[in-house]
Amino acid sequence: MKVIDLFCGAGGFSEGFERAGFEIVKAYDIWAPAILTHNQNHGNGKEIAFRGDIYEISMLENEEFEKYIPDTEVIIGSPPCIAFSNSNRSGKADKTQGVKLIQAFLRIVARKMNKPNSKLRYWVMENVENSLAFVEDNYTAEDLNWPELGDFVLSVPQKNIFNMKYFGVPTNRKRSICGFYPELKELNGDKEIITLGEVQKALGKPAPLNYMNSSKVIIDPIYGIEILNRDLTDHHYVKEVPYFEWIKAKRQKQDKGYMGKMSFPENKDKPARTIMATLSGAARESMIFELEVENLREKYRFPTIREAATLMSFPIDFRFYGESDAVKYKMVGNAVAPKFSYEIARAIRKALNGKFSNDKFSVKKAFKEDISFTNLNGIVFELKKEKPKKFESKYSYHVPYLIEKAYRVGLENQFIDGEVKWKTKIHYSQGRNAKVYEDIFVNLCLYESDEILQIINFIKEYIREIRSFENLQNQYCKTFEDRDGLGPDELLNNIRDFIESNKGLSRLAFIKEIGKEISMKIITSYYLLENILRGLENANKNTGIK
């Protein structure tokens, strides 16, 4: 039974079908490292993956089209999902190119189905869940810009969202599956899922210095494949996440302000979060593991390529032919989870009355050793150095880890005629419920006399130390190592420490501009910031505190 894989990438979709006994006859992508990877892992030594623009192929005249897209029983594909991803401009990116590529895939399917005596029985398109909003139930010749289809209408009978963790994949990854395919049944419930910790235990700790002397046998937690530890590629190295990145990632994960908390480092008792295509250490989506060191200093590392690949359900002997960890990570993050693909293929095989059953679920791979392969094992990655920011760099954050009933106090900069200004605001909630309050009057009568004295002394101290808006910006633009004064992060941290040290601020007080009672922690944070900024703005004058 034959299959064509469109937008094949490194071959996650093909991997599942090939292990279920299908023959991949053609696969297309435009990225050279992915094509090489696909060919080295599939096809039993035959070159089956080629460089090809799917949109251009979908628009070829019939004779040429048939050369690129031969008759097969199954067509699979995963059009690039970046346009639809929530991580791309918070889901507000232009969808035009994404829709164009989905329609190119569907045009190919429609042309093969409309062909006399068509062999095509099933077709499956994978993408991120947001893409479903851009897939119609039916497509006419006009919709697909191919008049030769005549009155033929391509129906999309199934449009579903599945979570990979219920199909034996150790990751919490939701994907839309559209097309014509048999019913897919989940293999397991929440109690039987494979966790991050189980994967890490199976692979063992990265051992850059002594893995070559290890005769330990590694058993694939999904496929049961056995290989020697020293033969486990792209695993025995450590790439540390620098402090300036992980501290930002931690803040994004646990103190976003208007989004829920995420584990930092990753929770080993659950399936991994969605593997992204970008190897980042400073974002909310970053995947960060604890780095075990002898001293007590906090250190963290990126996942190895092998860890990421196994979490995506690639077999442990799958090789990624890229020159860097970033290239390999992109291949993994962009892929269709092979174990899920295998379950789709198995359902199709069953629907075809099991006419063939050469299942290769646990088969080991053989590679052409004359093809150059970059193994990351033993590579020493230099710790990334932070670069200074440009003076015009924007800043916007709130008093860290201080959110009371969805209220938070933010500090931000703005540039007017080349000069930097700083403002503080009270933010409430997010989305349609979001509100912003500024120029709020805070009556000192809300405080006890000893509290007033502490507040005034705090404000005076930080006006003296920071001195000016420009100094505050200059410190922000320096690296963590080069800062020799207070930047906005340090100021907000000190305000948080002041608030938390004054237990009496847990009470509520009514604020006219907001129209309700809110926490004195929020009120006081705003008052401190507002008056420090007023003092800095009038640094060359004899400024009192309002």
Side-chain angles (χ1 to χ4, degrees):
M1 201 63 64
K2 297 180 179 180
V3 181
I4 287 178
D5 189 352
L6 307 176
F7 308 102
C8 66
F13 224 154
S14 290
E15 180 72 18
F17 272 79
E18 195 169 77
R19 285 188 178 273
F22 289 78
E23 179 189 359
I24 313 299
V25 294
K26 285 285 182 72
Y28 294 103
D29 204 272
I30 60 171
W31 191 29
I35 297 168
L36 176 60
T37 296
H38 192 290
N39 279 326
Q40 292 307 303
N41 286 276
H42 304 113
N44 294 321
K46 295 188 298 183
E47 187 177 21
I48 58 174
F50 303 92
R51 181 178 177 84
D53 184 306
I54 301 304
Y55 176 81
E56 292 181 358
I57 292 173
S58 75
M59 300 298 290
L60 291 172
E61 294 299 326
N62 286 336
E63 184 176 350
E64 194 69 14
F65 176 77
E66 291 296 326
K67 293 179 182 178
Y68 277 87
I69 310 293
D71 292 341
T72 60
E73 288 81 6
V74 182
I75 293 178
I76 58 178
S78 181
C81 63
I82 187 170
F84 306 109
S85 175
N86 278 329
S87 63
N88 188 4
R89 301 182 185 177
S90 299
K92 298 179 181 178
D94 183 10
K95 308 296 190 298
T96 304
Q97 183 65 13
V99 172
K100 176 182 175 181
L101 295 178
I102 285 176
Q103 290 180 349
F105 176 89
L106 296 174
R107 187 180 302 115
I108 290 174
V109 171
R111 291 180 66 177
K112 297 304 292 187
M113 289 188 69
N114 190 47
K115 181 180 177 180
N117 302 313
S118 173
K119 289 178 61 177
L120 186 60
R121 301 287 300 278
Y122 295 99
W123 61 275
V124 189
M125 180 175 68
E126 187 261 15
N127 213 307
V128 296
E129 54 183 322
N130 288 351
S131 67
L132 275 189
F134 300 89
V135 179
E136 306 296 335
D137 293 335
N138 298 287
Y139 288 86
T140 64
E142 183 179 359
D143 295 331
L144 295 176
N145 194 28
W146 196 255
E148 291 183 38
L149 290 173
D151 296 331
F152 178 82
V153 175
L154 175 66
S155 296
V156 187
Q158 285 116 315
K159 293 192 290 185
N160 298 300
I161 293 175
F162 296 102
N163 193 323
M164 304 299 98
K165 69 180 181 180
Y166 297 125
F167 291 86
V169 182
T171 181
N172 189 25
R173 185 183 183 93
K174 291 183 178 180
R175 284 297 184 266
S176 72
I177 307 296
C178 301
F180 181 66
Y181 52 86
E183 180 184 3
L184 297 179
K185 295 183 179 180
E186 296 176 350
L187 300 180
N188 55 269
D190 285 318
K191 292 184 179 180
E192 297 83 23
I193 54 179
I194 305 174
T195 65
L196 166 60
E198 290 176 280
V199 168
Q200 290 188 319
K201 183 178 179 180
L203 296 177
K205 296 178 182 178
L209 300 179
N210 57 13
Y211 73 95
M212 285 299 294
N213 298 321
S214 174
S215 59
K216 179 182 177 182
V217 174
I218 303 298
I219 302 175
D220 193 308
I222 299 170
Y223 302 93
I225 299 167
E226 297 184 7
I227 64 174
L228 293 176
N229 189 33
R230 59 174 173 263
D231 295 330
L232 190 65
T233 61
D234 294 335
H235 182 61
H236 293 298
Y237 68 94
V238 171
K239 185 173 183 180
E240 184 179 343
V241 183
Y243 172 81
F244 71 91
E245 287 193 337
W246 71 252
I247 198 68
K248 182 177 180 180
K250 182 177 181 179
R251 191 169 64 179
Q252 293 289 312
K253 290 172 183 289
Q254 299 194 329
D255 188 37
K256 184 65 173 175
Y258 52 85
M259 299 177 73
K261 287 187 178 181
M262 298 170 64
S263 296
F264 182 90
E266 301 301 320
N267 188 340
K268 295 183 180 182
D269 296 326
K270 295 181 177 181
R273 291 182 300 99
T274 298
I275 304 289
M276 308 300 288
T278 303
L279 189 61
S280 167
R284 182 173 167 87
E285 296 80 14
S286 300
M287 183 166 287
I288 297 176
F289 298 157
E290 190 171 15
L291 177 57
E292 296 182 12
V293 292
E294 293 181 0
N295 56 39
L296 297 178
R297 180 184 173 190
E298 283 185 274
K299 284 192 175 184
Y300 301 92
R301 67 174 177 88
F302 292 98
T304 67
I305 297 302
R306 183 55 55 199
E307 286 173 318
T310 305
L311 291 169
M312 275 288 287
S313 73
F314 280 94
I316 59 175
D317 59 347
F318 195 101
R319 288 187 180 182
F320 297 91
Y321 286 76
E323 295 299 314
S324 70
D325 61 325
V327 170
K328 291 174 183 256
Y329 198 86
K330 181 178 179 181
M331 280 191 247
V332 175
N334 279 338
V336 176
K339 180 60 166 59
F340 179 63
S341 169
Y342 171 81
E343 297 304 329
I344 297 173
R346 197 169 69 151
I348 291 175
R349 190 180 69 192
K350 183 178 179 181
L352 293 170
N353 299 316
K355 291 182 179 179
F356 64 102
S357 57
N358 50 331
D359 193 303
K360 303 174 183 177
F361 183 78
S362 302
V363 70
K364 291 180 70 173
K365 293 186 179 296
F367 299 95
K368 294 180 180 178
E369 295 303 332
D370 59 331
I371 302 295
S372 176
F373 172 67
T374 300
N375 188 351
L376 300 179
N377 285 352
I379 291 180
V380 177
F381 287 88
E382 291 187 9
L383 192 63
K384 185 178 178 181
K385 296 292 185 182
E386 185 181 10
K387 296 179 181 179
K389 302 177 185 68
K390 295 181 180 179
F391 183 78
E392 298 79 14
S393 296
K394 300 291 289 182
Y395 182 91
S396 179
Y397 203 65
H398 59 272
V399 178
Y401 302 97
L402 186 60
I403 303 170
E404 299 281 321
K405 302 292 185 183
Y407 288 96
R408 61 193 186 278
V409 177
L411 174 65
E412 62 186 58
N413 63 4
Q414 52 187 241
F415 292 87
I416 302 175
D417 297 329
E419 292 188 9
V420 63
K421 305 289 183 182
W422 291 85
K423 288 186 68 68
T424 185
K425 301 174 183 178
I426 293 179
H427 296 264
Y428 173 77
S429 192
Q430 63 169 326
R432 295 180 179 178
N433 298 323
K435 295 179 182 178
V436 179
Y437 305 95
E438 51 187 319
D439 298 323
I440 294 170
F441 174 74
V442 179
N443 195 326
L444 285 177
C445 293
L446 295 173
Y447 297 96
E448 303 291 336
S449 58
D450 60 330
E451 292 175 333
I452 294 175
L453 182 60
Q454 292 177 37
I455 287 171
I456 291 176
N457 288 337
F458 185 95
I459 292 170
K460 287 181 176 180
E461 176 185 351
Y462 285 96
I463 291 174
R464 285 194 301 268
E465 189 161 349
I466 298 172
R467 301 195 306 278
S468 70
F469 282 168
E470 185 175 350
N471 282 339
L472 189 64
Q473 181 70 14
N474 283 332
Q475 291 299 325
Y476 168 55
C477 293
K478 293 180 181 179
T479 67
F480 275 96
E481 289 184 355
D482 291 339
R483 286 179 191 171
D484 52 3
L486 283 175
D489 288 332
E490 292 79 13
L491 174 59
L492 293 180
N493 282 332
N494 289 337
I495 287 177
R496 180 201 61 205
D497 292 344
F498 177 88
I499 297 298
E500 295 301 333
S501 66
N502 286 269
K503 304 301 181 184
L505 296 178
S506 296
R507 62 188 186 270
L508 302 178
F510 183 83
I511 297 297
K512 179 181 178 181
E513 290 84 353
I514 295 178
K516 61 174 63 177
E517 288 186 332
I518 66 171
S519 170
M520 283 293 290
K521 291 183 179 182
I522 299 297
I523 296 169
T524 306
S525 296
Y526 174 83
Y527 186 83
L528 291 172
L529 261 179
E530 176 72 7
N531 282 282
I532 289 171
L533 296 181
R534 284 177 179 270
L536 295 175
E537 192 170 21
N538 299 288
N540 296 324
K541 302 176 183 178
N542 293 323
T543 305
I545 297 176
K546 123 178 141 171

